[in-house]
Amino acid sequence: LSLRAVNSSRSAFASFLFAPLFFQLYEPGSAGPDAQLFRCKVHMKSFLGVFRSLPSLDKSVGKCLILLKPRASRLVLQLQCKYGVTKTHNLAFQECERLQAVFDTQRCASRLCAPARVLAEAVVHFPPTLAEVTLGTGPGGKISLRNYVEDEAELSKRMVTELWLAEDEFQSVAVAPGSHITFCLREFRGLLSFAEASNLPLTIHFDEPGRPVIFTLDDTVLEVHLVLATLSDLESSSQSPSTNG
């Protein structure tokens, strides 16, 4: 089962791929080598509305049943709660083509891997209203996170928060010296929350400014990709373009 989404500006793409073993029960609608994959799209707000107030759902819901009914054009989400209560949500959907971003992590020049907790504790120092954050590399394998300031001349007039993480806080570091990228912090925070809850390390693949940054989570039953656009850099505009993105 795969869940994919892209934002309205097409600057962010997310993909969650669940193996059959992720579920207590998985029954594909069609089987056999000639069976075609079924794809559909639902309204994001309607889908997320079913799972709002997660702390309450964790306490009251025992199971979640997901049913696809192609003939009725309905996605049925059934929450089986305590005391025999069942909540059923029927969401309309439309058939669609495959949604897929074009990227290749193998072509990225830099790669970082760290426990999600390390990165989550780092970004908590930035205000919730901050839009972008800059990730950079320094001497000795150190990694920095700094709030993005569009006009460097304004640095003396604005508060700048910068954190440095030592190389030993990461599981692996293979980065190009002096590289840096700036990306949206909101989507990054969302993925960190999921990674922490799943207890999975987060891998960051990136290249030069203006090329997409790719965040990945890998497990035996789950594969996650988040692709974010990065801000271009005037200094890199004269360099030869990267092969990724």
Side-chain angles (χ1 to χ4, degrees):
L1 175 68
S2 67
L3 298 176
R4 294 185 172 96
V6 63
N7 63 354
S8 58
S9 62
R10 295 191 173 272
S11 61
F13 167 82
S15 171
F16 290 73
L17 181 62
F18 301 92
L21 290 177
F22 179 88
F23 305 94
Q24 292 180 343
L25 174 65
Y26 182 82
E27 295 181 350
S30 56
D34 298 328
Q36 294 184 350
L37 295 176
F38 180 78
R39 301 183 181 93
C40 65
K41 60 181 180 180
V42 297
H43 196 271
M44 179 68 78
K45 289 185 178 180
S46 300
F47 187 81
L48 294 180
V50 178
F51 301 100
R52 65 178 180 269
S53 185
L54 286 178
S56 175
L57 290 179
D58 286 339
K59 296 178 181 179
S60 60
V61 178
K63 294 181 180 180
C64 175
L65 179 64
I66 303 175
L67 296 173
L68 268 175
K69 296 184 176 181
R71 292 185 178 180
S73 297
R74 289 291 184 272
L75 172 64
V76 180
L77 299 172
Q78 196 173 84
L79 304 180
Q80 299 177 4
C81 309
K82 292 181 178 179
Y83 311 113
V85 176
T86 299
K87 298 180 180 179
T88 302
H89 303 264
N90 289 276
L91 306 182
F93 67 73
Q94 296 177 338
E95 292 190 41
C96 64
E97 298 297 325
R98 183 183 182 186
L99 179 64
Q100 180 64 53
V102 179
F103 60 89
D104 185 357
T105 58
Q106 299 299 320
R107 294 187 176 183
C108 292
S110 300
R111 178 181 178 274
L112 299 169
C113 183
R117 174 188 53 81
V118 172
L119 297 171
E121 291 177 353
V123 300
V124 76
H125 296 283
F126 297 106
T129 55
L130 182 64
E132 292 99 9
V133 66
T134 298
L135 182 148
T137 62
K142 291 183 178 180
I143 305 299
S144 69
L145 287 170
R146 191 185 77 170
N147 59 306
Y148 172 69
V149 179
E150 184 175 2
D151 188 356
E152 293 293 332
E154 296 292 325
L155 283 176
S156 60
K157 302 178 182 179
R158 298 184 57 179
M159 183 179 72
V160 176
T161 301
E162 185 173 22
L163 298 96
W164 286 90
L165 301 174
E167 184 177 5
D168 58 10
E169 295 195 65
F170 293 83
Q171 295 178 352
S172 65
V173 176
V175 296
S179 58
H180 68 277
I181 52 170
T182 300
F183 52 88
C184 183
L185 181 57
R186 179 182 177 184
E187 282 81 357
F188 183 49
R189 276 185 166 137
L191 182 63
L192 285 177
S193 297
F194 179 85
E196 270 199 293
S198 304
N199 195 28
L200 293 174
L202 177 67
T203 304
I204 307 174
H205 310 262
F206 62 97
D207 218 320
E208 62 185 30
R211 298 295 176 181
V213 55
I214 307 160
F215 304 92
T216 60
L217 302 173
D218 288 300
D219 190 36
T220 54
V221 296
L222 175 66
E223 183 179 323
V224 180
H225 289 85
L226 173 65
V227 184
L228 297 181
T230 65
L231 296 183
S232 60
D233 193 314
L234 293 178
E235 294 179 354
S236 65
S237 61
S238 60
Q239 299 176 4
S240 58
S242 168
T243 56
N244 195 34

